[in-house]
């Protein structure tokens, strides 16, 4: 619902909002430009009476004096028959330049507020502002949800690419969007008279005046002592008309002055409605508040960016929503697949299962979890595939699922299998899938197989789950899920270093030649090899296989090499293939960015913990540490004589200070130690580093990571305000585990 | 049917003599390209002493901006009767052409047609242009002070 509320105005009013934002952004610069040409007022600047007298002296035919919000003083007068307007020096009342309103600004203003369609146009632009408000508010709530609560609103943004950019920029610019659009709507309502802007209240017009000889302007008492910054406008009486009056407008109100007595004939202080209007006008235009204008202008320039990124994310999600062939109606199907998906990637897995079951002769129905029916006439089993959104919440297509489930009269008479999809790096991994599973149990539903959780769309884990699910059904299921495969390219092996044969962990550091990434323009259009950083992933497709295996990258593309660290697993198709490579042999790969595992720019120092091949990306970070900021490595292996990966490099890095310290632990030697033991031994130093803003990055096997987390928990125990969970939430504790 | 026709004839007979005392006057104002927003114009009659008689036409319908038509407002003492004689404001470079009925007794009697003009962010222009309401001035174009490039009345 909320997502729709965000999406629909964006799609409908996007272009309009862009036009308003760009024109507004251009106009926002004007107050600052105008102000730049105006001297600051000083104590030496005369009051309004002196200025008016100076002006009358220089321009005897002056009709009107105005002070613009920028501080410019403008005099309107007649030179014979032709009307003139000049900007004068506030100190002397002498001419500085001719004044005319910039046609460019007038044109831009008219486009901005009415698109050149007068009142109808104003209604359209106000609707654009309304769309902006809806977009801002719904976006704000969506960000809060995505971040796992309002208190994390300004925490580190998870995710990657355009979505991250959209959230990161949007959550800051949203304040300016709301301010600009709310004030715009107020101003439109004021123009149409729906809200009072206080202009209706005017001082009573004086029809009866003294009629005597006019007074010199310098002697008019209301002008004397009126500071220039409070002066707005003075209209002179029509020459030769003794019944005419001076009209004076100041910051506080306006009124009429008798030209012969100098007395105020009538005066009206600005009503509150007028003050409100002027304040809001100032907020919207930045006039007399030039810096605010610049801020709002800068923010408005991010509107096209927001629209572009939002639009692309929407389009991608839409494209990912698969058309499922042979989708049978819910009441005819023997197998029901319901999908809870936020970004739609989960649908792809559902489709793979759907296809496989259909091929096996089943009648399969696939739909969103929100469409849970109270009963399925012919169903024999149900699969629930669900992702998790934000802090353990339901994804978009499952928002109403639990409610519907609770509303059921009785449990289904067929078994249900739950499969969760998520990313272990997020807190509450697959929480929603677990909640669904618990709710089903509570309802009394039987389960086909125990709930399983798939990390980062792992095709292998899915394949394994399929085999188990097939076994439970008494069938053979081969679920070869191919996520929309990126374009691959071929790389040739340049060199390899082998370790660990003697301790039963054959491990190789493989280096492939990598073409220098092309310009970013070429990359935008998907040409050339993409740039990558250490910690990103390379997907390797072994021969005759469609399922890629991912390896963490141990180099940056700028080095001209792609380096990975691979341990040979008994029976592992891909690792065996990689270990069989000789220099010159080629492999087929693609790059998958992994922005969740990168050293933070702001981190004061970095603690790197890895065991076995997990040291690969850490080595990449160290090699790329040309800034020489403090990095501390904790490395675990089996035997220093056999599997001390990167041993030579580590020595060099310690010498050139790319690495500040290295701690190693080996588990197959006399004083057997694991890397977490080294962490515990260094507790004081680590605590100190973490307190001072260090970031921790852990890479390696799942068990090692759990051990390290426990060790760090112990290290941080004396600190009241620090815990690994807290550090994780701040993006200061990153794990890349497998 | 016949009855209706008869009634209609009778009604017209009653109205037509009244019409004989007024005549349609066409007012044409060609605006300069002053480059700003649409201008408000007040077109009104003053008598031989320069005193306000009545308003002929107002271009611009938002009464809150009328305060910028200062000469007209002052002359009419803030209470001009404008019901049914207002229309849209006039854009820069555009032409306003309206026909109003003016009593015969006011023509060639020293009365003058006067125009006040104003536009957002521009100067107020009371007495933008004044034209005598007589047959001699009919059809003769006159320039305004700022907004109006050519102004004429056709009796």
């Amino acid at each position: 619902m909320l997502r729709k509320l965000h999406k629909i105005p964006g799609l409908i009013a996007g272009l309009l909002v862009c036009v308003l934002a760009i024109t507004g952004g251009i106009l926002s610069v004007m107050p600052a430009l105008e102000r730049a040409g105006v001297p600051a007022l000083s104590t030496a600047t005369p009051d309004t009476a002196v200025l008016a007298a100076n002006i009358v002296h220089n321009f005897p035919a002056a009709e009107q004096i105005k002070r613009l919000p920028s501080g410019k003083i403008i005099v309107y007068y007649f030179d014979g028959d032709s009307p003139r307007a000049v900007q004068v020096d506030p100190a002397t009342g002498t001419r500085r330049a001719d004044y005319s309103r910039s046609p460019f600004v007038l044109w831009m203003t008219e486009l901005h507020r009415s698109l050149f369609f007068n009142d109808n146009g104003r209604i359209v632009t106000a609707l654009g502002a309304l769309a902006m408000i809806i977009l801002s508010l719904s976006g704000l709530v969506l960000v809060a949800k995505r971040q796992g609560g309002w208190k994390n609103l300004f925490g580190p943004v998870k995710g990657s690419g355009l979505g991250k950019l959209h959230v990161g920029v949007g959550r800051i610019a949203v304040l300016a969007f709301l301010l600009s659009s709310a004030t715009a709507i107020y101003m439109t309502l004021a123009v149409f008279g729906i809200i009072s802007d206080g202009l209706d209240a005017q001082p009573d017009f004086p029809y009866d005046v003294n009629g005597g000889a006019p007074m010199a302007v310098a002697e008019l008492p209301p002008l004397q002592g009126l500071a220039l910054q409070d002066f707005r406008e003075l209209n002179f009486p029509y020459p030769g008309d003794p019944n005419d009056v001076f009209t004076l407008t100041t910051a506080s109100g306006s009124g009429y002055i008798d030209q012969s007595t100098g007395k105020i004939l009538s005066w009206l202080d600005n009503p509150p409605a007028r003050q409100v209007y002027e304040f809001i006008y100032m907020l919207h235009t930045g006039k007399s508040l030039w810096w605010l204008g610049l801020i709002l202008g800068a923010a408005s320039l991010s509107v096209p960016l927001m629209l572009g990124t939002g639009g692309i994310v929407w389009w991608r999600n839409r494209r990912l929503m698969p058309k499922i062939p042979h989708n049978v109606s819910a009441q005819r199907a023997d197998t029901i697949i319901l999908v809870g998906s936020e970004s739609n990637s989960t649908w792809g897995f559902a489709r793979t299962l759907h296809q496989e079951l259909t091929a096996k002769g089943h009648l399969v129905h696939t739909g969103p979890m929100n469409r849970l029916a109270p009963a399925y006439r012919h169903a024999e089993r149900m699969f629930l595939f669900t992702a998790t959104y934000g802090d353990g919440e339901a994804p978009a297509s499952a928002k109403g699922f639990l409610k519907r489930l609770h509303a059921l009269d009785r449990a289904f008479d067929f078994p249900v299998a739950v499969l969760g999809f998520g990313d272990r790096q997020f807190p509450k991994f697959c929480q929603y899938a677990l909640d669904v599973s618990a709710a089903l149990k509570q309802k009394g539903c039987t389960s086909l197989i125990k709930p399983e959780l798939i990390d980062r769309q792992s095709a292998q884990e899915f394949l394994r789950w399929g085999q188990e699910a097939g076994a439970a059904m008494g069938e053979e299921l081969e679920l070869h899920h191919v996520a929309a495969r990126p374009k691959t390219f071929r790389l040739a092996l340049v060199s390899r270093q082998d370790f660990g044969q003697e301790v039963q962990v054959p491990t190789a550091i493989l280096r492939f030649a990598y073409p220098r990434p092309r310009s970013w323009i070429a990359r935008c259009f998907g040409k050339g090899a993409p740039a990558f950083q250490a910690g990103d992933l390379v997907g390797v497709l072994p021969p005759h296989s469609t399922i890629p295996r991912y390896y963490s990258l141990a180099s940056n593309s700028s080095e001209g090499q792609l380096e990975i660290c691979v341990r040979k697993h008994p029976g592992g198709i891909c690792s065996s293939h990689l270990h069989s490579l000789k220099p010159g042999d080629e492999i087929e790969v693609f790059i998958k960015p992994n922005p969740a595992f990168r050293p933070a720019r702001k981190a004061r120092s970095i603690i790197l913990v890895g065991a076995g091949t997990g040291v690969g990306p850490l080595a990449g970070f160290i090699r790329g540490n040309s800034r020489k900021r403090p990095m501390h490595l904790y490395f675990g292996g089996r035997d220093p004589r056999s599997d001390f990966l990167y041993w030579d490099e580590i020595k060099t890095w310690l010498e050139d200070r790319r690495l500040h310290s290295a701690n190693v632990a080996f588990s197959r030697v006399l004083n057997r130690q694991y890397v977490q033991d080294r962490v515990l031994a260094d507790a004081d130093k680590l605590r100190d580093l973490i307190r001072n803003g260090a970031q921790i990055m852990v890479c390696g096997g799942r068990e090692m990571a759990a051990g390290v987390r426990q060790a760090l928990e112990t290290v941080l125990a004396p600190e009241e305000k620090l815990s690994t969970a807290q550090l994780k939430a701040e993006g200061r504790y990153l794990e890349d585990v497998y | 049917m016949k009855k209706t026709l008869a009634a209609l004839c009778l009604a017209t007979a009653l109205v037509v003599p009244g019409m004989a005392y007024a005549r349609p006057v066409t007012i044409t104002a060609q605006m300069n390209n002053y480059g700003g927003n649409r201008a408000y114009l007040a077109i009104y009659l003053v008598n031989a002493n320069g005193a306000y008689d009545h308003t002929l036409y107002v271009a611009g319908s938002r009464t809150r901006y009328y305060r910028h038509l200062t000469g007209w407002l002052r002359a009419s003492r803030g209470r001009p009767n404008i019901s049914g004689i207002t229309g849209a404001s006039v854009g820069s470079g555009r032409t306003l052409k309206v026909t109003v009925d003016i009593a015969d007794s006011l023509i060639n009697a020293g009365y003058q047609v006067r125009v006040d003009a104003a536009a957002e962010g521009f100067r107020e222009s009371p007495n933008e242009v004044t034209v005598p309401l007589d047959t001699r001035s009919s059809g003769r174009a006159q320039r305004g002070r700022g907004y109006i490039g050519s102004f004429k009345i056709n009796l």
Side-chain angles (χ1 to χ4, degrees), chain A residues 84 110 113 197 207 235 244, chain B residues 37 74 77-78 120 124:
Chain A
R84 300 231 185 262
E110 209 47 37
R113 66 183 181 189
D197 57 6
Y207 301 109
N235 286 39
D244 204 356
Chain B
N37 292 309
R74 185 166 49 241
R77 297 183 76 92
E120 183 194 352
E124 294 165 358

Side-chain angles (χ1 to χ4, degrees), chain A residues 163-450:
Chain A
K164 182 174 178 173
L165 187 65
H166 191 81
V167 169
V169 173
R171 62 183 180 172
I172 295 167
V174 69
L175 268 183
F177 296 164
L178 283 173
L179 183 66
S180 291
S181 41
T183 49
I185 287 177
Y186 169 90
M187 283 163 64
T188 310
L189 292 176
V191 165
F192 285 103
I194 298 165
I195 288 179
S196 168
D197 57 6
L199 271 184
D200 313 326
Q202 291 297 327
D204 294 327
F205 198 85
Y207 301 109
D208 302 306
V209 296
N210 181 292
M215 214 170 169
V217 83
E219 280 153 33
L220 292 175
L223 296 188
Q224 283 171 3
L226 177 63
L228 219 45
Q229 55 263 43
D230 295 330
F231 169 69
R232 294 287 177 271
E233 207 175 306
L234 179 70
N235 286 39
F236 287 80
Y238 198 64
D241 182 350
N243 291 319
D244 204 356
V245 288
F246 282 101
T247 311
L248 175 67
T249 307
T250 68
S252 58
S254 60
Y256 299 100
I257 303 167
D258 193 305
Q259 58 172 319
S260 69
T261 65
K263 278 201 187 112
I264 292 179
L265 296 170
S266 71
W267 183 263
L268 186 74
D269 277 334
N270 285 338
R274 183 78 206 147
Q275 290 166 15
V276 169
Y277 179 85
E278 283 189 351
F279 179 68
I280 288 177
Y281 181 84
M282 177 179 77
L283 288 184
H284 188 86
T285 60
K287 283 183 181 165
S288 65
L289 207 59
W290 59 277
W291 53 268
L292 179 70
L294 290 184
I295 291 174
L296 294 185
S300 70
L301 292 183
S302 71
V303 168
L305 176 83
M306 295 301 288
L307 194 80
T309 52
I312 293 169
V313 168
W314 166 80
W315 178 247
R316 274 191 195 158
N317 287 349
R318 207 184 116 86
R319 221 182 31 178
L320 279 170
M321 169 90 84
K323 286 222 166 60
I324 293 164
H326 310 294
N327 203 356
V328 176
S329 83
Q331 296 307 330
R332 234 161 44 88
D334 60 61
T335 305
I336 310 291
I337 306 172
L338 295 184
V339 181
S341 177
E342 185 71 36
S343 63
N344 291 335
S345 59
T346 310
W347 286 97
F349 287 92
R351 178 160 74 166
T352 304
L353 177 62
H354 189 111
Q355 275 171 344
E356 175 75 5
L357 289 171
T358 304
K360 288 266 177 342
H362 289 282
L363 293 171
V364 190
H365 169 78
T366 299
M369 281 171 73
N370 277 334
R371 301 245 182 91
L372 179 75
Y376 293 92
R377 244 174 281 156
H378 299 293
E380 290 165 26
R381 66 196 65 81
M382 176 186 275
F383 294 98
L384 294 174
F385 282 18
T386 182
T388 295
Y389 182 57
D391 203 18
E393 285 170 60
S397 75
K399 288 278 189 246
F401 177 80
L402 286 178
K403 224 185 213 171
R404 283 181 171 231
L405 184 66
H406 287 308
L408 292 183
D409 298 335
R410 55 196 177 85
F412 293 122
D413 50 11
F414 47 79
V416 183
V418 176
L419 186 61
F421 293 84
D423 187 333
R424 283 192 195 280
Q425 295 173 64
F426 281 75
K428 308 215 173 164
F429 169 62
C430 286
Q431 185 61 45
Y432 183 69
L434 297 172
D435 291 350
V436 166
S437 173
L440 286 166
K441 199 179 241 175
Q442 205 189 359
K443 197 81 203 171
C445 292
T446 53
S447 55
L448 184 67
I449 54 168
K450 69 176 174 46

